[in-house]
Protein backbone atom coordinates (compact mmCIF):
# COMPACT_ATOMS: atom_id res chain seq x y z
CA UNK A 1 0.00 0.00 0.00
CA UNK A 2 1.47 3.31 -1.11
CA UNK A 3 1.46 6.49 0.93
CA UNK A 4 -1.10 8.20 -1.34
CA UNK A 5 -3.48 5.22 -1.04
CA UNK A 6 -3.16 5.24 2.73
CA UNK A 7 -3.87 8.98 2.90
CA UNK A 8 -6.86 8.54 0.55
CA UNK A 9 -8.34 5.76 2.72
CA UNK A 10 -7.74 7.84 5.85
CA UNK A 11 -9.60 10.80 4.34
CA UNK A 12 -12.51 8.54 3.38
CA UNK A 13 -12.63 7.13 6.92
CA UNK A 14 -12.55 10.60 8.50
CA UNK A 15 -15.26 11.89 6.15
CA UNK A 16 -17.48 8.88 6.79
CA UNK A 17 -16.98 9.23 10.53
CA UNK A 18 -17.86 12.92 10.37
CA UNK A 19 -21.02 12.22 8.38
CA UNK A 20 -22.01 9.53 10.88
CA UNK A 21 -21.39 11.88 13.82
CA UNK A 22 -23.49 14.62 12.21
CA UNK A 23 -26.30 12.14 11.47
CA UNK A 24 -26.19 10.85 15.05
CA UNK A 25 -26.29 14.43 16.34
CA UNK A 26 -29.33 15.29 14.22
CA UNK A 27 -31.16 12.09 15.16
CA UNK A 28 -30.51 12.72 18.86
CA UNK A 29 -31.69 16.32 18.51
CA UNK A 30 -34.88 15.15 16.77
CA UNK A 31 -35.56 12.58 19.52
CA UNK A 32 -35.10 15.23 22.20
CA UNK A 33 -37.32 17.67 20.28
CA UNK A 34 -40.04 15.05 19.89
CA UNK A 35 -40.00 14.13 23.58
CA UNK A 36 -39.91 17.77 24.76
CA UNK A 37 -42.68 18.86 22.37
CA UNK A 38 -44.98 16.00 23.44
CA UNK A 39 -44.32 16.80 27.08
CA UNK A 40 -45.15 20.46 26.46
CA UNK A 41 -48.27 19.38 24.55
CA UNK A 42 -49.49 17.21 27.45
CA UNK A 43 -48.82 19.98 29.97
CA UNK A 44 -50.64 22.50 27.79
CA UNK A 45 -53.59 20.14 27.31
CA UNK A 46 -53.87 19.61 31.07
CA UNK A 47 -53.64 23.34 31.75
CA UNK A 48 -50.28 23.27 33.54
CA UNK A 49 -48.69 25.36 30.78
CA UNK A 50 -50.34 27.76 28.34
CA UNK A 51 -53.27 26.16 26.54
CA UNK A 52 -52.12 27.07 23.03
CA UNK A 53 -49.37 24.46 23.47
CA UNK A 54 -52.05 21.75 23.75
CA UNK A 55 -53.57 22.50 20.33
CA UNK A 56 -53.28 19.85 17.58
CA UNK A 57 -53.19 20.88 13.94
CA UNK A 58 -56.31 19.36 12.33
CA UNK A 59 -54.66 18.32 9.05
CA UNK A 60 -51.45 16.66 10.23
CA UNK A 61 -52.58 15.79 13.78
CA UNK A 62 -49.30 17.19 15.14
CA UNK A 63 -48.90 19.55 18.13
CA UNK A 64 -47.57 22.31 15.91
CA UNK A 65 -47.37 25.03 18.58
CA UNK A 66 -45.49 22.79 21.02
CA UNK A 67 -43.02 21.64 18.35
CA UNK A 68 -42.31 25.19 17.17
CA UNK A 69 -41.98 26.51 20.73
CA UNK A 70 -39.54 23.79 21.81
CA UNK A 71 -37.59 24.16 18.57
CA UNK A 72 -37.34 27.92 19.05
CA UNK A 73 -36.07 27.54 22.61
CA UNK A 74 -33.63 24.83 21.51
CA UNK A 75 -32.15 27.22 18.94
CA UNK A 76 -32.07 30.37 21.08
CA UNK A 77 -30.87 29.12 24.49
CA UNK A 78 -27.53 27.58 23.28
CA UNK A 79 -26.59 30.94 21.74
CA UNK A 80 -26.35 32.57 25.19
CA UNK A 81 -25.07 29.70 27.37
CA UNK A 82 -22.26 27.19 27.21
CA UNK A 83 -23.29 23.69 26.08
CA UNK A 84 -21.39 22.02 28.94
CA UNK A 85 -23.21 24.25 31.41
CA UNK A 86 -26.58 23.38 29.89
CA UNK A 87 -25.83 19.64 29.93
CA UNK A 88 -24.96 19.70 33.64
CA UNK A 89 -28.06 21.75 34.37
CA UNK A 90 -30.32 19.36 32.47
CA UNK A 91 -28.75 16.35 34.24
CA UNK A 92 -29.46 17.86 37.65
CA UNK A 93 -32.99 18.81 36.61
CA UNK A 94 -33.67 15.22 35.53
CA UNK A 95 -32.36 13.86 38.85
CA UNK A 96 -34.44 16.29 40.90
CA UNK A 97 -37.47 15.35 38.81
CA UNK A 98 -36.92 11.71 39.86
CA UNK A 99 -36.78 12.85 43.50
CA UNK A 100 -40.13 14.64 43.16
CA UNK A 101 -41.70 11.56 41.54
CA UNK A 102 -40.58 9.37 44.46
CA UNK A 103 -41.97 11.88 46.95
CA UNK A 104 -45.29 11.95 45.08
CA UNK A 105 -45.49 8.14 45.21
CA UNK A 106 -45.13 8.23 49.00
CA UNK A 107 -47.64 11.03 49.54
CA UNK A 108 -50.33 9.46 47.32
CA UNK A 109 -50.19 6.23 49.33
CA UNK A 110 -51.10 8.14 52.50
CA UNK A 111 -53.69 10.51 51.02
CA UNK A 112 -56.88 10.72 53.08
CA UNK A 113 -59.14 11.91 50.24
CA UNK A 114 -59.28 10.26 46.84
CA UNK A 115 -57.73 12.14 43.93
CA UNK A 116 -59.79 11.92 40.70
CA UNK A 117 -56.73 11.01 38.59
CA UNK A 118 -54.82 8.91 41.13
CA UNK A 119 -54.94 5.14 40.89
CA UNK A 120 -55.45 4.70 44.60
CA UNK A 121 -58.52 3.68 46.56
CA UNK A 122 -58.81 5.39 49.92
CA UNK A 123 -59.60 3.19 52.87
CA UNK A 124 -61.30 3.98 56.13
CA UNK A 125 -58.05 3.54 58.07
CA UNK A 126 -56.36 6.42 56.23
CA UNK A 127 -57.61 9.49 58.05
CA UNK A 128 -56.68 13.14 57.86
CA UNK A 129 -54.44 12.66 60.90
CA UNK A 130 -52.60 9.86 59.09
CA UNK A 131 -52.09 12.13 56.07
CA UNK A 132 -50.65 14.92 58.24
CA UNK A 133 -48.31 12.47 59.98
CA UNK A 134 -47.12 11.10 56.64
CA UNK A 135 -46.39 14.63 55.34
CA UNK A 136 -44.37 15.44 58.47
CA UNK A 137 -42.42 12.18 58.18
CA UNK A 138 -41.71 12.82 54.48
CA UNK A 139 -40.43 16.34 55.26
CA UNK A 140 -38.22 14.96 58.04
CA UNK A 141 -36.88 12.18 55.81
CA UNK A 142 -36.08 14.67 53.05
CA UNK A 143 -34.22 17.00 55.43
CA UNK A 144 -32.18 14.22 57.06
CA UNK A 145 -31.29 12.67 53.69
CA UNK A 146 -30.13 16.06 52.39
CA UNK A 147 -28.07 16.58 55.56
CA UNK A 148 -26.56 13.10 55.27
CA UNK A 149 -25.55 13.39 51.62
CA UNK A 150 -24.38 17.02 51.85
CA UNK A 151 -22.31 16.33 54.98
CA UNK A 152 -20.79 13.30 53.26
CA UNK A 153 -19.67 15.58 50.40
CA UNK A 154 -18.79 18.85 52.13
CA UNK A 155 -18.21 17.75 55.73
CA UNK A 156 -14.43 17.61 55.36
CA UNK A 157 -14.27 21.31 54.55
CA UNK A 158 -16.18 22.13 57.75
CA UNK A 159 -15.03 19.43 60.15
CA UNK A 160 -11.55 18.25 59.11
CA UNK A 161 -11.73 14.70 60.50
CA UNK A 162 -12.52 11.98 57.93
CA UNK A 163 -13.80 9.25 60.24
CA UNK A 164 -15.91 11.65 62.30
CA UNK A 165 -17.34 12.96 59.03
CA UNK A 166 -18.53 9.46 58.09
CA UNK A 167 -19.91 8.84 61.58
CA UNK A 168 -21.99 12.03 61.45
CA UNK A 169 -23.35 11.08 58.01
CA UNK A 170 -24.32 7.64 59.36
CA UNK A 171 -26.12 9.27 62.30
CA UNK A 172 -28.13 11.45 59.90
CA UNK A 173 -28.95 8.38 57.79
CA UNK A 174 -30.03 6.42 60.88
CA UNK A 175 -32.45 9.20 61.90
CA UNK A 176 -33.90 9.23 58.36
CA UNK A 177 -34.37 5.44 58.52
CA UNK A 178 -36.17 5.79 61.87
CA UNK A 179 -38.63 8.22 60.29
CA UNK A 180 -39.01 5.84 57.34
CA UNK A 181 -39.82 2.96 59.71
CA UNK A 182 -42.41 5.11 61.51
CA UNK A 183 -43.90 6.04 58.13
CA UNK A 184 -44.10 2.39 57.07
CA UNK A 185 -46.16 1.59 60.17
CA UNK A 186 -48.93 3.98 59.10
CA UNK A 187 -51.90 2.55 57.12
CA UNK A 188 -51.69 2.93 53.35
CA UNK A 189 -54.23 3.22 50.55
CA UNK A 190 -54.95 0.33 48.25
CA UNK A 191 -53.58 0.73 44.72
CA UNK A 192 -56.12 0.25 41.92
CA UNK A 193 -53.62 -0.78 39.24
CA UNK A 194 -51.84 -3.87 37.93
CA UNK A 195 -48.50 -2.11 38.29
CA UNK A 196 -47.63 -0.37 41.52
CA UNK A 197 -44.43 0.73 43.23
CA UNK A 198 -43.43 -2.04 45.66
CA UNK A 199 -41.94 -1.64 49.13
CA UNK A 200 -43.37 1.82 49.84
CA UNK A 201 -41.85 3.86 51.49
CA UNK A 202 -38.52 1.97 51.60
CA UNK A 203 -37.84 1.81 47.86
CA UNK A 204 -38.70 5.48 47.12
CA UNK A 205 -36.63 6.67 50.11
CA UNK A 206 -33.68 4.55 48.95
CA UNK A 207 -33.99 6.02 45.46
CA UNK A 208 -34.03 9.54 46.90
CA UNK A 209 -30.90 8.79 48.96
CA UNK A 210 -28.96 7.45 45.94
CA UNK A 211 -30.04 10.35 43.71
CA UNK A 212 -29.11 13.00 46.29
CA UNK A 213 -25.75 11.29 46.86
CA UNK A 214 -25.04 11.47 43.12
CA UNK A 215 -26.18 15.10 42.99
CA UNK A 216 -23.98 16.25 45.87
CA UNK A 217 -20.89 14.29 44.76
CA UNK A 218 -21.02 15.00 41.01
CA UNK A 219 -22.56 18.46 40.71
CA UNK A 220 -20.47 21.65 40.98
CA UNK A 221 -21.77 24.57 43.09
CA UNK A 222 -22.56 26.88 40.13
CA UNK A 223 -25.06 24.31 38.81
CA UNK A 224 -26.77 24.32 42.21
CA UNK A 225 -27.22 28.09 42.03
CA UNK A 226 -28.60 27.96 38.49
CA UNK A 227 -30.94 25.08 39.36
CA UNK A 228 -32.16 27.04 42.39
CA UNK A 229 -33.12 29.95 40.13
CA UNK A 230 -34.89 27.59 37.71
CA UNK A 231 -36.77 25.90 40.55
CA UNK A 232 -37.78 29.27 42.00
CA UNK A 233 -39.21 30.42 38.68
CA UNK A 234 -40.96 27.05 38.20
CA UNK A 235 -42.55 27.19 41.65
CA UNK A 236 -43.76 30.73 41.00
CA UNK A 237 -45.35 29.74 37.67
CA UNK A 238 -46.91 26.63 39.21
CA UNK A 239 -48.34 28.41 42.25
CA UNK A 240 -49.65 31.40 40.30
CA UNK A 241 -50.93 29.75 37.09
CA UNK A 242 -50.46 25.99 36.71
CA UNK A 243 -52.15 24.80 39.90
CA UNK A 244 -55.31 26.87 39.45
CA UNK A 245 -55.71 26.01 35.74
CA UNK A 246 -54.72 22.35 35.85
CA UNK A 247 -57.13 19.60 34.91
CA UNK A 248 -56.53 17.84 38.23
CA UNK A 249 -57.57 20.93 40.18
CA UNK A 250 -60.72 21.32 38.09
CA UNK A 251 -61.67 17.67 38.59
CA UNK A 252 -60.99 17.91 42.30
CA UNK A 253 -63.13 21.04 42.57
CA UNK A 254 -65.91 19.38 40.58
CA UNK A 255 -65.67 16.31 42.81
CA UNK A 256 -65.92 18.48 45.94
CA UNK A 257 -68.95 20.33 44.57
CA UNK A 258 -70.71 17.08 43.68
CA UNK A 259 -70.02 15.70 47.13
CA UNK A 260 -71.27 18.91 48.76
CA UNK A 261 -74.48 18.83 46.69
CA UNK A 262 -75.05 15.17 47.54
CA UNK A 263 -74.63 15.92 51.23
CA UNK A 264 -77.12 18.80 50.97
CA UNK A 265 -79.62 16.53 49.19
CA UNK A 266 -79.22 13.92 51.94
CA UNK A 267 -79.90 16.58 54.56
CA UNK A 268 -83.02 17.75 52.72
CA UNK A 269 -84.29 14.17 52.41
CA UNK A 270 -83.57 13.53 56.08
CA UNK A 271 -85.46 16.67 57.11
CA UNK A 272 -88.40 15.85 54.85
CA UNK A 273 -88.63 12.38 56.40
CA UNK A 274 -89.18 13.80 59.89
CA UNK A 275 -92.78 13.53 61.18
CA UNK A 276 -92.88 17.11 62.46
CA UNK A 277 -91.84 18.43 59.08
CA UNK A 278 -94.57 16.49 57.30
CA UNK A 279 -97.20 17.59 59.85
CA UNK A 280 -96.25 21.25 59.39
CA UNK A 281 -96.54 20.93 55.63
CA UNK A 282 -100.01 19.36 55.82
CA UNK A 283 -101.28 22.05 58.20
Amino acid sequence: MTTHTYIYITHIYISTNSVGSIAALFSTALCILQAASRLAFCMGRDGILFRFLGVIQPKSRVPYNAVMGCGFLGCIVPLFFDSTYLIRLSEMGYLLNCVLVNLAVILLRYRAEACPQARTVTTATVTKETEVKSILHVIAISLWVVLCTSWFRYGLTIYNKPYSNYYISCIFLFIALCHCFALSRLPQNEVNSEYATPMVPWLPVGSIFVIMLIVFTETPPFVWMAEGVVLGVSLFVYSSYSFWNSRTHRLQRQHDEERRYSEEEKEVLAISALPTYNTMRTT
Side-chain angles (χ1 to χ4, degrees):
M1 182 182 293
T2 61
T3 305
H4 295 287
T5 306
Y6 178 77
I7 294 174
Y8 180 72
I9 294 175
T10 304
H11 286 171
I12 292 177
Y13 173 76
I14 294 174
S15 301
T16 306
N17 193 15
S18 300
V19 172
S21 300
I22 294 173
L25 179 64
F26 272 102
S27 62
T28 305
L30 288 176
C31 292
I32 295 174
L33 177 61
Q34 183 180 9
S37 61
R38 268 56 181 183
L39 179 61
F41 161 72
C42 293
M43 296 176 73
R45 182 185 59 184
D46 292 340
I48 299 175
L49 289 180
F50 304 108
R51 295 197 178 276
F52 72 90
L53 295 175
V55 177
I56 297 179
Q57 193 175 15
K59 185 177 181 180
S60 61
R61 306 297 297 173
V62 172
Y64 180 79
N65 296 334
V67 172
M68 293 301 294
C70 293
F72 178 76
L73 291 177
C75 294
I76 294 299
V77 173
L79 297 177
F80 299 97
F81 299 98
D82 188 10
S83 60
T84 305
Y85 181 81
L86 292 176
I87 290 172
R88 299 302 295 269
L89 188 63
S90 61
E91 288 176 354
M92 185 174 178
Y94 175 76
L95 292 174
L96 292 180
N97 184 26
C98 294
V99 171
L100 294 177
V101 170
N102 284 285
L103 291 175
V105 168
I106 299 174
L107 293 176
L108 283 176
R109 286 293 182 91
Y110 298 97
R111 187 182 176 92
E113 298 180 358
C115 181
Q117 289 184 333
R119 295 181 176 181
T120 57
V121 179
T122 57
T123 58
T125 55
V126 181
T127 60
K128 198 67 177 178
E129 183 181 358
T130 303
E131 182 179 359
V132 173
K133 287 182 180 179
S134 65
I135 293 174
L136 294 178
H137 282 303
V138 168
I139 294 173
I141 291 170
S142 304
L143 291 177
W144 288 114
V145 167
V146 169
L147 283 175
C148 175
T149 52
S150 60
W151 191 272
F152 182 80
R153 174 63 177 84
Y154 299 105
L156 287 176
T157 59
I158 301 173
Y159 192 66
N160 194 11
K161 291 183 179 181
Y163 293 104
S164 300
N165 180 38
Y166 299 144
Y167 293 153
I168 294 173
S169 298
C170 290
I171 291 172
F172 291 156
L173 180 60
F174 177 75
I175 297 174
L177 291 177
C178 290
H179 282 283
C180 187
F181 177 77
L183 181 62
S184 65
R185 304 299 296 175
L186 296 176
Q188 298 183 13
N189 290 320
E190 298 178 1
V191 180
N192 187 17
S193 176
E194 296 180 356
Y195 172 78
T197 304
M199 299 174 61
V200 175
W202 296 102
L203 186 60
V205 171
S207 302
I208 292 171
F209 174 76
V210 173
I211 292 171
M212 295 307 296
L213 190 62
I214 294 173
V215 167
F216 277 107
T217 54
E218 300 294 335
T219 306
F222 69 89
V223 178
W224 272 103
M225 297 191 318
E227 191 66 30
V229 174
V230 173
L231 285 177
V233 175
S234 302
L235 288 174
F236 174 76
V237 173
Y238 178 78
S239 60
S240 61
Y241 178 82
S242 302
F243 176 77
W244 304 103
N245 295 277
S246 63
R247 182 184 177 187
T248 303
H249 179 70
R250 294 198 307 269
L251 290 176
Q252 185 67 43
R253 186 171 54 189
Q254 182 180 0
H255 175 71
D256 294 339
E257 290 179 355
E258 291 177 354
R259 186 176 62 180
R260 181 165 55 87
Y261 290 152
S262 63
E263 291 178 355
E264 290 179 355
E265 290 177 357
K266 289 180 181 179
E267 291 179 359
V268 170
L269 291 175
I271 293 173
S272 61
L274 293 175
T276 56
Y277 181 79
N278 294 329
T279 305
M280 291 176 62
R281 287 188 59 184
T282 53
T283 57

